[in-house]
Amino acid sequence: MPGKSATIRLHVNGEEHTLAVPVQRTLLEALRYDLGLTGSKQGCDKGDCGACTVLADGEAILSCITLAADAQDRKITTIEGLASPAGLDPVQRAFADCGALQCGFCQPGMMLSARALLNTCAHPSLAQIKDALSGNLCRCTGYTKIYEAVQVAAGMRGPASRQPVASERAPASDSVAHAVKEIVP
Amino acid sequence: MMTLPPVEVLRPSSVAEAVEALQKHPGSRVLAGGTDIVPNLKYGMYDTQHLVALRGLSKELRYVRLQNDLHLGALCTIDQLAHDETIRRCAPALAEACSQVAGPQLRRMGTLGGNLCLDTRCVYINQSYFWRNALGFCLKKDGTVCHVVAGGQRCVAAASNDTAPVLLALGATIKIVSPRGERELPLRDFYLADGIHNTVLRPDELLTGIRLPKDAFAKRQGFAKLRTRAAIDFPSLNMAVALEIEKGTVKSVSLAVGALAARPALIKGLDDLNGQKADARLAEELARRAHKQCKPLTNIGVDPDWRRDVLPVLVRRMVLRAAATAAAAS
């Protein structure tokens, strides 16, 4: 049974989109498959893992269990909309500087949850950071650097200096962030 | 990737329209925060053709009002209740329970009404259609056998809502609206011991709010939850206590435990404890009685023997914590 379709209007990353979708289309499916915004990840697809986290009016929600039609009256921000023409969002820069990723799959959700936290609390405690990110699973279990990155993004500390192993010439953290900035349109 | 089955979504803009829609479309289900029903629909747990989405009612049903009693709208989000100053003052155990529901995104989406009406959960039902089919299905949906209780004829999927034990212990009442009008029901009469449909809610009825009587505000309240991780997980056990204490002596006590079977359990026969001193021996006695009456099953993927062993420990600690708190201000 193909089911009914509906015309919906989504406000995503500052742009209006009008879409014809099945009424049961989730916001995540609309973002990924109708708008091509594949930065929001399809992890568990049942609201457990947080990989699909997007911001709705600045609030972190799970797009895999939200109907696209229910997001019509809200301003949606995905990871693609976090950077501005002026450059990376401080959260993105800090995650790059701190190397706060391993496989990277959870990062879009992590960064949006971090952004939502910093929007409401400029200088969060470590406990507040842990709580705000507790709905985002990292299966590489690299939480230490992620928490550090949020503190860096809040301007509460600099990236921890890590001594590179003698044999490897790691680029300075500044140039890593610089390189990331360059590939962002 | 799990897609939702084709459904029609109805969008009423008032309670009256919502219950009319429920009545007009038999088998329809309510969609509020969507944190429970959407994954369940993806699992193929319901044959629903129509969803009645309550987003248009959020202005009407998102109130926290203190008028003698405490009135809460069914569409208050869990996150809202966890942070609300009035609730932290009058019903601190409810705020505590809400702050421990799932994770932050889910608390922002999920609602109080949704939590009270949460479908029961079991390791043999909250699985994909493929998984359930491979096992030959179960009592709750599409099958005839129970994989938890051999030969069992009644579904024992677990009530997994964290707000239910607190509101049960505090003696809350719920407000139900249908096309026939409105009725109030004590929450203790709301749940049934049948996991297939564990509430008395009829198909065309909508839970619109709860009322917490003002005598609950003066009670010492406690909540405790056992779960594998400190976030996201449903409870492996949850419990709440409400103690009425006067001059160090118990005037009344009620204790509720959830995540056992289909109905959150109110521990029975505690009246003889009235008049006793509110001390460590009382906590010990409540723990002993809870241990005797609560028998965790294999419906949750956490060892039932361990859950039974740890249950009295959690009860004892919770009661001691609650007894030590100052009575909530009214």
Side-chain angles (χ1 to χ4, degrees):
Chain A
M1 187 173 81
K4 291 205 166 186
S5 69
T7 305
I8 60 165
R9 288 174 62 163
L10 288 180
H11 193 286
V12 182
N13 300 334
E15 280 179 47
E16 288 271 359
H17 301 273
T18 306
L19 305 170
V21 295
V23 291
Q24 71 273 14
R25 198 75 154 160
T26 63
L27 176 58
L28 180 65
E29 290 164 346
L31 292 171
R32 286 179 62 88
Y33 306 122
D34 296 317
L35 298 176
L37 298 172
T38 53
S40 307
K41 299 301 181 219
Q42 201 156 16
C44 68
D45 219 3
K46 58 190 177 70
D48 286 345
C49 75
C52 68
T53 301
V54 299
L55 302 186
D57 296 330
E59 219 181 51
I61 62 157
L62 299 175
S63 59
C64 74
I65 52 171
T66 302
L67 290 188
D70 277 337
Q72 291 188 93
D73 51 348
R74 311 186 79 181
K75 289 195 167 63
I76 304 300
T77 306
T78 68
I79 191 67
E80 290 89 347
L82 202 55
S84 69
L88 294 179
D89 185 278
V91 170
Q92 290 171 302
R93 172 170 288 276
F95 271 67
D97 279 355
C98 298
L101 79 162
Q102 290 183 45
C103 83
F105 197 81
C106 70
Q107 294 307 300
M110 286 281 184
M111 288 195 266
L112 288 166
S113 283
R115 176 37 61 210
L117 168 69
L118 296 180
N119 283 347
T120 54
C121 177
H123 299 290
S125 66
L126 184 60
Q128 284 173 311
I129 294 171
K130 286 184 175 180
D131 184 61
L133 299 186
S134 64
N136 294 79
L137 291 182
C138 166
R139 290 296 77 177
C140 309
T141 67
Y143 292 100
T144 305
K145 287 184 178 180
I146 292 169
Y147 298 148
E148 180 189 311
V150 181
Q151 291 175 321
V152 171
M156 294 157 69
R157 59 178 288 183
S161 66
R162 297 184 200 288
Q163 295 292 324
V165 180
S167 58
E168 63 168 326
R169 284 219 188 101
S173 58
D174 278 2
S175 64
V176 172
H178 188 66
V180 172
K181 185 179 176 181
E182 276 178 355
I183 58 167
V184 170
Chain B
M1 177 171 155
M2 300 191 295
T3 47
L4 281 167
V7 283
E8 196 170 326
V9 183
L10 305 158
R11 297 185 179 280
S13 54
S14 67
V15 171
E17 279 178 34
V19 294
E20 200 180 302
L22 287 171
Q23 187 186 41
K24 200 167 151 198
H25 301 283
S28 56
R29 280 178 180 261
V30 170
L31 170 75
T35 57
D36 185 42
I37 193 171
V38 174
N40 289 354
L41 279 167
K42 287 184 174 187
Y43 280 149
M45 275 169 58
Y46 311 128
D47 299 321
T48 301
Q49 305 288 317
H50 297 87
L51 291 179
V52 178
L54 301 188
R55 210 173 151 68
L57 280 60
S58 33
K59 278 207 182 92
E60 200 178 340
L61 295 182
R62 218 184 145 170
Y63 55 83
V64 174
R65 268 198 305 262
L66 188 60
Q67 288 170 328
N68 266 327
D69 299 337
L70 180 64
H71 301 262
L72 305 175
L75 291 184
C76 289
T77 65
I78 299 294
D79 186 63
Q80 177 192 354
L81 301 180
H83 293 104
D84 189 277
E85 275 309 311
T86 310
I87 293 167
R88 293 178 85 109
R89 202 173 64 241
C90 300
L94 179 61
E96 175 63 30
C98 287
S99 73
Q100 292 195 40
V101 171
Q105 295 98 320
L106 292 157
R107 288 197 290 273
R108 251 173 245 126
M109 299 166 71
T111 63
L112 174 63
N115 195 258
L116 287 174
C117 297
L118 189 84
D119 202 354
T120 52
R121 300 182 62 81
C122 178
V123 282
Y124 297 102
I125 187 69
N126 296 101
Q127 303 287 355
S128 66
Y129 186 87
F130 176 87
W131 193 103
R132 290 187 289 119
N133 189 11
L135 196 69
F137 298 110
C138 77
L139 264 186
K140 185 159 162 73
K141 178 75 168 66
D142 303 318
T144 52
V145 291
C146 178
H147 304 293
V148 174
V149 179
Q153 287 304 303
R154 204 165 60 179
C155 174
V156 291
S160 305
N161 29 17
D162 290 319
T163 60
V166 180
L167 293 172
L168 274 172
L170 291 175
T173 306
I174 54 171
K175 202 166 100 179
I176 295 171
V177 176
S178 75
R180 297 171 297 283
E182 199 179 298
R183 64 175 173 136
E184 265 208 332
L185 189 73
L187 187 63
R188 86 180 91 83
D189 298 333
F190 183 56
Y191 293 107
L192 299 170
D194 179 359
I196 295 175
H197 182 66
N198 78 326
T199 72
V200 298
L201 215 56
R202 297 188 198 111
D204 59 352
E205 286 184 323
L206 185 68
L207 191 162
T208 58
I210 74 141
R211 181 171 63 84
L212 202 57
K214 66 169 187 263
D215 62 12
F217 309 161
K219 290 178 181 169
R220 320 287 171 100
Q221 311 170 8
F223 172 79
K225 175 170 176 172
L226 178 72
R227 52 179 167 173
T228 310
R229 300 170 292 193
I232 306 176
D233 285 337
F234 279 99
S236 304
L237 279 177
N238 60 13
M239 58 199 70
V241 69
L243 283 162
E244 208 178 342
I245 300 177
E246 213 175 72
K247 291 176 190 147
T249 306
V250 176
K251 257 181 88 183
S252 76
V253 53
S254 71
L255 174 64
V257 182
L260 298 166
R263 177 159 51 186
L266 259 176
I267 303 302
K268 296 185 202 91
L270 301 181
D271 288 347
D272 62 305
L273 295 176
N274 298 348
Q276 287 211 10
K277 276 181 110 175
D279 57 8
R281 276 168 64 188
L282 172 82
E284 203 62 59
E285 183 57 21
L286 284 169
R288 198 185 63 78
R289 294 191 190 188
H291 182 251
K292 200 170 175 194
Q293 291 182 33
C294 300
K295 302 206 168 55
L297 302 165
T298 54
N299 51 5
I300 291 173
V302 179
D303 181 15
D305 293 336
W306 177 67
R307 284 161 62 218
R308 182 139 198 250
D309 285 349
V310 85
L311 190 144
V313 180
L314 294 174
V315 170
R316 191 181 68 230
R317 289 180 188 165
M318 173 182 68
V319 172
L320 287 174
R321 231 176 19 243
T325 58
S330 52

